[in-house]
Amino acid sequence: MSASLKGKSVIVTGGSKGIGKGIAKVFAGHGAKVLIVARHLKDAEAAAQELGKGGATVGACAADVTKLSDMEAMAKAAVDRHGALDVLCANAGIFPQAKIEEMSPESWDEVMNTNLKGTFLAIKACVPHLKNSSQGRIVITSSITGPVTGYPGWTHYGATKAGQLGFMRTACIELAKYGITVNAVMPGNIVTEGLAGLGEDYMKTMAASIPLKRLGAVEDIGNAAAFFASREAAYITGQTIIVDGGQILPESLEALASA
Ligand code: NAP
């Protein structure tokens, strides 16, 4: 797997922090040339500098996934810097919490625009370049929240994460003629700066509800993304992989306690 990613040009949206940074780290470790993308250039540059310390080729670019012109500039930047574009990891996302009764229409739109429309815009901008690759890959970061589970305060978020999978199942058919595969990783609870903001209690309760008894590491998601991007996954498209330590499996607290 690692050999087939060496020298590949990879974009990671939302790569400055959290899961995206973990994905960028794993790809850089496999010898890929990575472009980290986020709205805040300083954060993206700091991540690129940190991940590039061992000699890996990691660059940074400021772009907002809600703007098509930004996404087009991002795709061009990857081609200009790294000579091609082989892999898009459409990972950028936000997860503000608000229950339906308090949620504003503006908050709904912001989550839709970033998580769902942002996935579409990143893919739309990258396809013209991915078409030229012999190993064109799109890996979407979805979630268990929405497609499989629910959590109060995340109706909008869950809708976007389920929506990404609906989008993927037609996108993979449309893009198959170019040899581009489209797959999605569905993380459970992963330790990130974003998740840490939900508080110690949330983190502890969540870890206790997971059969493997720990929250995931960002590299756990990076490894799954790297598999989908590898040559070995060439015949897999429109598929999902849940990376959650078994979190969705116990059918009750009793099932977990009696193990
Ligand atoms: P995070 O730590 O908050 O990082 C979010 C990243 O996305 C940052 O790099 C941020 O940088 C970027 N971003 C946000 N809005 C953007 C925009 N409009 N344009 C470009 N970049 C943008 O989040 P995370 O926890 O790693 O989550 C990353 C992805 O994993 C999301 O899609 C999320 O739904 C998914 N996920 C996370 C978990 C988890 O447990 N953490 C679980 C399941 C799924 P800027 O602010 O500088 O733009």
Side-chain angles (χ1 to χ4, degrees):
M1 176 171 102
S2 123
S4 73
L5 296 175
K6 196 170 168 52
K8 295 297 176 197
S9 168
V10 179
I11 286 176
V12 184
T13 68
S16 65
K17 289 188 217 161
I19 288 178
K21 191 172 163 192
I23 293 172
K25 181 180 172 189
V26 170
F27 276 96
H30 285 313
K33 294 177 274 188
V34 181
L35 185 64
I36 288 178
V37 179
R39 289 166 302 178
H40 299 94
L41 184 60
K42 279 205 167 135
D43 293 346
E45 282 175 341
Q49 201 174 20
E50 182 188 327
L51 299 184
K53 267 186 187 148
T57 304
V58 187
C61 160
D64 185 334
V65 296
T66 66
K67 295 179 183 152
L68 180 59
S69 56
D70 277 22
M71 292 297 91
E72 287 168 344
M74 164 194 85
K76 186 174 178 303
V79 175
D80 288 349
R81 291 182 199 199
H82 299 145
L85 178 60
D86 303 292
V87 181
L88 166 66
C89 294
N91 165 83
I94 55 171
F95 35 93
Q97 276 187 298
K99 292 184 183 164
I100 295 168
E101 290 172 280
E102 290 90 44
M103 189 187 295
S104 67
E106 291 74 24
S107 171
W108 173 273
D109 287 346
E110 189 193 7
V111 176
M112 289 290 149
N113 282 338
T114 306
N115 297 3
L116 189 51
K117 190 175 173 190
T119 299
F120 155 62
L121 294 179
I123 291 172
K124 182 175 173 60
C126 287
V127 162
H129 306 285
L130 291 170
K131 276 159 84 168
N132 300 325
S133 171
S134 58
Q135 197 173 312
R137 301 281 194 269
I138 296 167
V139 184
I140 296 168
T141 307
S142 174
S143 178
I144 57 168
T145 310
V148 186
T149 63
Y151 199 95
W154 277 333
T155 51
H156 48 2
Y157 176 75
T160 64
K161 295 286 131 178
Q164 286 177 310
L165 301 186
F167 173 88
M168 174 191 77
R169 292 191 179 104
T170 290
C172 69
I173 301 173
E174 288 188 17
L175 301 179
K177 60 178 173 287
Y178 307 124
I180 300 171
T181 67
V182 193
N183 294 288
V185 181
M186 297 164 68
N189 278 261
I190 309 301
V191 182
T192 60
E193 295 91 330
L195 200 80
L198 299 176
E200 259 312 293
D201 283 353
Y202 177 93
M203 308 275 276
K204 271 194 188 149
T205 314
M206 275 302 180
S209 73
I210 297 169
L212 287 176
K213 296 291 174 216
R214 68 168 175 90
L215 300 183
V218 293
E219 292 84 359
D220 292 322
I221 307 306
N223 288 330
F227 169 67
F228 276 139
S230 69
R231 190 186 302 123
E232 288 78 358
Y235 202 53
I236 301 173
T237 196
Q239 301 305 309
T240 57
I241 184 164
I242 292 176
V243 183
D244 74 339
Q247 185 178 340
I248 63 166
L249 296 177
E251 60 184 42
S252 66
L253 289 176
E254 169 59 19
L256 199 58
S258 62

